[in-house]
């Protein structure tokens, strides 16, 4: 389906394989299994592919900075996804980095975040607190991080650069309602920090894309400091889930069946239009359109 949509760029948002191992040979073999898939080969031939990781290709379920083989796992990741040897992504700890695409007189910036290498452990919902649901409760203290100091500093620098549209690839959901699973809502102080950073840098055109949860949805987060922050969640491309969670920020339908996301940027229009789409095998299931000016600081 992704190949038929003829995208200029395809971004994998993590859990690209289910590695879940401390044996790097097992990890390599699972990547090789992905490489052998006809569908993957067709996608690779048809477009440029970028990737970030989530827990299962990082190494272990829900794991963060305490995973002991993150350096070795990164090396395998970089090589499999053919990240150029001179890429900034190879010069520092973690897989974060950015790419720029020219769209006529517009500039698209793609920011790829690493939500694993530096992330502190989450707070487990144990014993089960009836005020919360599912696995985790949010931090109330600001003594934890998702991105870590160096990545935050890098992100501020990136958001300060000139761009008209910015797609932020985060393996974890950003703009949705807290649901007790992994997401930026586990560390609300980090989520708030991100919103304030967008305001501080006057970064126009931010759109989040995310995965992880095994369903698809489009979220719209209204903030006090910025224009609305959209988050297009597409998950999973090969797995069907049986249940979803509530999300007061959701626009349109939630998709349980296999899905992919497509962002269309009509930059040649006098007033550029952004179209957010979620597809299943039969076509568009959820979509939302708006003018680029709606996600721009006045």
């Amino acid at each position: 389906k992704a190949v038929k949509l003829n995208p200029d760029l395809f971004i994998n948002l993590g859990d690209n394989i289910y590695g879940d191992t401390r044996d790097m040979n097992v990890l390599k073999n699972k990547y090789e299994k992905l490489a052998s898939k006809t569908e993957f080969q067709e996608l690779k031939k048809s477009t440029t592919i970028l990737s970030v990781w989530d827990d299962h290709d990082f190494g272990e379920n829900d794991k963060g900075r305490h995973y002991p083989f993150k350096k070795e796992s990164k090396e395998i990741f970089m090589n499999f996804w053919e990240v150029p040897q001179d890429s900034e992504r190879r010069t520092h700890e973690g897989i974060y980095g950015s790419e720029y695409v020219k769209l006529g007189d517009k500039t698209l910036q793609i920011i790829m975040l690493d939500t694993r290498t530096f992330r502190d452990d989450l707070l487990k919902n144990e014993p089960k607190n009836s005020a919360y649901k599912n696995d985790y409760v949010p931090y109330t203290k600001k003594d934890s991080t998702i991105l870590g100091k160096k990545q935050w500093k890098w992100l501020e620098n990136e958001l300060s650069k000139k761009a008209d549209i910015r797609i932020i690839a985060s393996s974890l959901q950003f703009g949705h309602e807290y649901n007790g699973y992994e997401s930026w809502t586990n560390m609300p102080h980090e989520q708030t920090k991100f919103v304030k950073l967008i305001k501080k840098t006057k970064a126009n055109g931010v759109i989040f894309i995310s995965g992880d949860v095994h369903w698809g949805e489009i979220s719209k987060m209204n903030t006090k400091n910025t224009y609305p922050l959209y988050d297009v969640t597409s998950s999973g491309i090969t797995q069907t889930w049986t249940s979803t969670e509530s999300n007061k920020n959701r626009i349109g339908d939630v998709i349980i069946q296999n899905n992919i996301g497509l962002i269309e940027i009509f930059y040649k229009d006098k007033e550029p239009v952004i179209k957010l789409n979620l597809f299943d095998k039969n076509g568009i299931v959820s979509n939302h359109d708006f003018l680029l000016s709606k996600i721009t600081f006045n």
Side-chain angles (χ1 to χ4, degrees):
K1 183 67 182 181
V3 173
K4 289 179 181 177
L5 291 173
N6 194 30
D8 297 297
L9 186 70
F10 188 88
I11 304 176
N12 289 281
L13 287 166
D15 295 343
N16 305 310
I17 60 166
Y18 272 60
D20 297 301
T21 183
R22 297 190 174 193
D23 184 335
M24 295 302 101
N25 287 321
V26 170
L27 200 62
K28 284 180 183 176
N29 289 337
K30 290 189 175 183
Y31 274 116
E32 287 171 10
K33 190 173 181 182
L34 173 61
S36 70
K37 297 282 185 183
T38 303
E39 297 87 347
F40 180 77
Q41 292 168 6
E42 289 177 357
L43 180 65
K44 192 175 178 183
K45 283 179 194 171
S46 70
T47 191
T48 300
I49 295 178
L50 298 175
S51 290
V52 296
W53 61 15
D54 200 32
D55 50 346
H56 296 292
D57 40 355
F58 175 62
E60 278 183 22
N61 182 51
D62 290 7
K63 208 67 173 177
R65 67 184 180 89
H66 297 295
Y67 177 64
F69 293 97
K70 55 190 178 182
K71 184 178 178 182
E72 293 84 351
S73 180
K74 177 192 172 178
E75 186 67 18
I76 295 169
F77 175 97
M78 290 283 151
N79 292 338
F80 179 79
W81 294 111
E82 298 175 2
V83 176
Q85 289 296 326
D86 61 352
S87 170
E88 60 161 336
R89 301 178 75 187
R90 289 183 179 266
T91 65
H92 55 67
E93 188 182 4
I95 60 150
Y96 60 87
S98 63
E99 296 282 345
Y100 289 83
V101 179
K102 287 300 290 182
L103 305 172
D105 65 346
K106 305 292 183 194
T107 300
L108 167 64
Q109 178 190 43
I110 298 164
I111 294 175
M112 295 168 280
L113 297 180
D114 185 336
T115 61
R116 292 292 161 186
T117 303
F118 311 97
R119 201 208 69 191
D120 286 306
D121 289 342
L122 303 181
L123 284 180
K124 291 187 176 178
N125 191 11
E126 293 175 352
K128 288 290 182 183
N129 184 334
S130 60
Y132 296 101
K133 58 181 177 177
N134 299 322
D135 298 335
Y136 301 108
V137 297
Y139 272 87
T140 54
K141 297 179 182 177
K142 297 181 180 181
D143 60 351
S144 55
T145 186
I146 291 176
L147 300 184
K149 286 183 180 178
K150 287 185 179 178
Q151 189 174 187
W152 271 118
K153 187 176 180 181
W154 169 85
L155 179 60
E156 180 170 356
N157 186 52
E158 287 297 318
L159 290 175
S160 300
K161 292 179 180 177
K162 187 182 182 310
D164 300 285
I165 307 152
R166 305 169 201 267
I167 293 177
I168 298 182
S170 166
S171 69
L172 300 174
Q173 285 190 296
F174 186 89
H176 69 126
E177 177 186 5
Y178 172 85
N179 62 32
Y181 291 123
E182 283 197 298
S183 88
W184 282 81
T185 59
N186 299 132
M187 298 185 190
H189 53 281
E190 291 279 270
Q191 190 183 36
T192 299
K193 183 176 180 176
F194 209 138
V195 174
K196 288 181 176 178
L197 189 59
I198 292 169
K199 181 186 180 184
K200 178 184 177 183
T201 56
K202 290 288 188 283
N204 288 325
V206 167
I207 302 167
F208 286 85
I209 58 174
S210 58
D212 177 55
V213 291
H214 301 264
W215 63 81
E217 61 187 350
I218 299 171
S219 300
K220 179 182 180 183
M221 173 193 275
N222 292 310
T223 83
K224 295 177 182 176
N225 300 302
T226 69
Y227 47 80
L229 297 176
Y230 289 93
D231 184 357
V232 185
T233 302
S234 177
S235 177
I237 199 168
T238 59
Q239 291 195 9
T240 299
W241 211 236
T242 55
S243 63
T244 64
E245 293 289 334
S246 61
N247 177 9
K248 66 178 186 285
N249 297 341
R250 184 185 299 136
I251 298 171
D253 296 327
V254 61
I255 307 173
I256 297 177
Q257 64 270 31
N258 296 355
N259 63 87
I260 52 175
L262 179 72
I263 296 178
E264 297 176 283
I265 303 167
F266 294 88
Y267 59 89
K268 292 179 181 177
D269 294 351
K270 188 175 179 182
E271 285 198 81
V273 175
I274 308 288
K275 292 191 174 187
L276 311 179
N277 308 285
L278 288 170
F279 286 79
D280 69 7
K281 65 181 181 180
N282 298 314
I284 294 177
V285 182
S286 184
N287 70 296
H288 184 71
D289 305 351
F290 53 89
L291 296 172
L292 176 60
S293 58
K294 294 295 185 183
I295 55 170
T296 302
F297 287 103
N298 296 323

